[in-house]
Amino acid sequence: MARFIVVDRGTGRVYGDTARFSGDGKVVSPADAVSLFDRQVGRAPRGFGYVKPDSGCASYDVYEIPPSSSASATVSEREAQTLIREHGSLVAALVTYNS
């Protein structure tokens, strides 16, 4: 499973870290990661579109973390932001539909 950390574009806060769910669902894309987090908080299913990273309509920025960077899940906002800064690569900006 790829490891993604998703940041809410509107607030700048981390929406989730797939490492917190240790294989709970197949996460192979950025949209899969957001869908996993939505299910965990009981949110209704949504659709996603990929937009350019500098798009003003993006809902989420999705970062991929290489497996060698950290095997443990982040437990705080600060820890997740540090991991993104030091090891993350922006892989997608997503806009949500039906939210």
Side-chain angles (χ1 to χ4, degrees):
M1 173 173 95
R3 179 175 183 184
F4 298 105
I5 295 178
V6 177
V7 176
D8 182 298
R9 177 75 71 92
T11 65
R13 299 208 35 127
V14 171
Y15 187 52
D17 176 353
T18 57
R20 295 177 186 165
F21 300 103
S22 63
D24 184 14
K26 292 186 178 192
V27 177
V28 296
S29 73
D32 290 342
V34 179
S35 293
L36 170 66
F37 304 141
D38 283 353
R39 284 192 308 274
Q40 296 300 318
V41 297
R43 189 174 209 162
R46 304 185 279 173
F48 301 95
Y50 289 79
V51 295
K52 293 182 179 182
D54 61 352
S55 172
C57 66
S59 305
Y60 297 102
D61 288 324
V62 183
Y63 296 86
E64 187 166 8
I65 307 299
S68 60
S69 299
S70 173
S72 61
T74 57
V75 294
S76 70
E77 176 79 20
R78 182 181 209 174
E79 188 178 3
Q81 293 287 357
T82 299
L83 189 59
I84 289 169
R85 229 181 3 268
E86 293 178 358
H87 302 287
S89 298
L90 179 64
V91 293
L94 298 175
V95 62
T96 58
Y97 302 104
N98 304 328
S99 51

